[in-house]
Amino acid sequence: MLSEKHEFENHIHQIKDCKICEKYLPLGANPVFSVHPKSKILIIGQAPGTRVHATGIPWNDPSGDNLRNWLGMEKEVFYDPEIVGIMPMGFCYPGRGKGGDLPPRPECAPQWHASLLDWMPNVQLTLLIGAYAQKYYLGASRKKTLTETVKSFEAYSPDLFPLVHPSPRNRLWMRNNPWFESEVVPQLRKRVWQILG
């Protein structure tokens, strides 16, 4: 009988070999995620961009720099899967549309999220980054707009924390919503460090 460690590793290999939506992916399948049974904080974002696809390192781009800044977290902590799990809505780069990257492929989260979550019983906080993650995980409890959902972050506490995407493209949103950095980011850091001690 396989040990739990081997079962987990086999499951990870199964996901890394996933090709269920490869025919729709312009750069081919290359699932990028990072999880561990000991993960305490889980980040659910959208899907890898081209740089993340090329390097295989999640959040290895300016968006990741912004996110780590919001969290007040050094790279070595962020990239320790025993502390931070990273599981996007789509594990592979979806391609480019008129206004930026295409949405995450719809096959991915229903196929893999529940089974991965079963392996992560120690998650105390899940960051829901962007509209796709919020729609999937908040369902009817999310507000009419992403802005309202993020502003109402306390309603989802202590387990879930909705965030706007940290992409540099969202500079205008950040300018128009100064409450995010003055109110939301400090509460996010406080919650993170409650967990990390």
Side-chain angles (χ1 to χ4, degrees):
M1 188 171 169
L2 285 174
S3 69
E4 276 199 10
K5 184 182 178 190
H6 283 126
E7 280 186 46
F8 174 69
E9 288 171 352
N10 283 347
H11 192 53
I12 295 302
H13 287 305
Q14 188 183 4
I15 298 171
K16 288 193 176 288
D17 289 339
C18 178
K19 305 240 186 296
I20 57 171
C21 59
E22 187 170 40
K23 64 182 178 182
Y24 303 109
L25 303 172
L27 301 181
N30 180 29
V32 179
F33 63 104
S34 173
V35 298
H36 191 279
K38 291 183 180 177
S39 299
K40 297 175 185 174
I41 296 168
L42 178 61
I43 297 172
I44 303 179
Q46 293 184 183
T50 52
R51 183 168 168 185
V52 170
H53 173 89
T55 62
I57 302 170
W59 294 100
N60 180 31
D61 54 20
S63 296
D65 294 338
N66 287 338
L67 178 58
R68 285 183 287 275
N69 179 50
W70 292 351
L71 295 168
M73 195 178 279
E74 298 296 327
K75 275 190 171 185
E76 54 268 24
V77 177
F78 185 85
Y79 286 117
D80 182 345
E82 293 191 17
I83 299 172
V84 177
I86 299 170
M87 182 178 80
M89 290 300 294
F91 291 175
C92 297
Y93 171 64
R96 194 151 178 80
K98 287 181 182 175
D101 288 350
L102 290 170
R105 289 298 313 168
E107 299 89 346
C108 206
Q111 180 74 22
W112 299 118
H113 277 208
S115 61
L116 282 176
L117 288 169
D118 285 344
W119 280 105
M120 292 186 282
N122 298 308
V123 170
Q124 299 171 53
L125 175 66
T126 300
L127 309 183
L128 301 173
I129 299 179
Y132 299 105
Q134 290 164 23
K135 181 178 181 182
Y136 193 83
Y137 280 96
L138 298 180
S141 71
R142 71 187 174 121
K143 310 301 179 190
K144 286 182 180 177
T145 66
L146 180 137
T147 299
E148 288 177 51
T149 302
V150 172
K151 203 166 194 175
S152 303
F153 69 95
E154 287 170 326
Y156 310 103
S157 183
D159 302 327
L160 302 172
F161 206 118
L163 292 169
V164 65
H165 197 283
S167 168
R169 290 170 180 248
N170 280 337
R171 281 195 194 104
L172 181 60
W173 187 93
M174 300 291 288
R175 270 205 304 273
N176 291 338
N177 297 280
W179 50 266
F180 179 78
E181 287 196 300
S182 63
E183 298 169 30
V184 179
V185 169
Q187 289 302 315
L188 174 63
R189 287 180 183 166
K190 182 179 175 184
R191 180 76 185 106
V192 166
W193 290 107
Q194 279 173 346
I195 293 166
L196 301 187

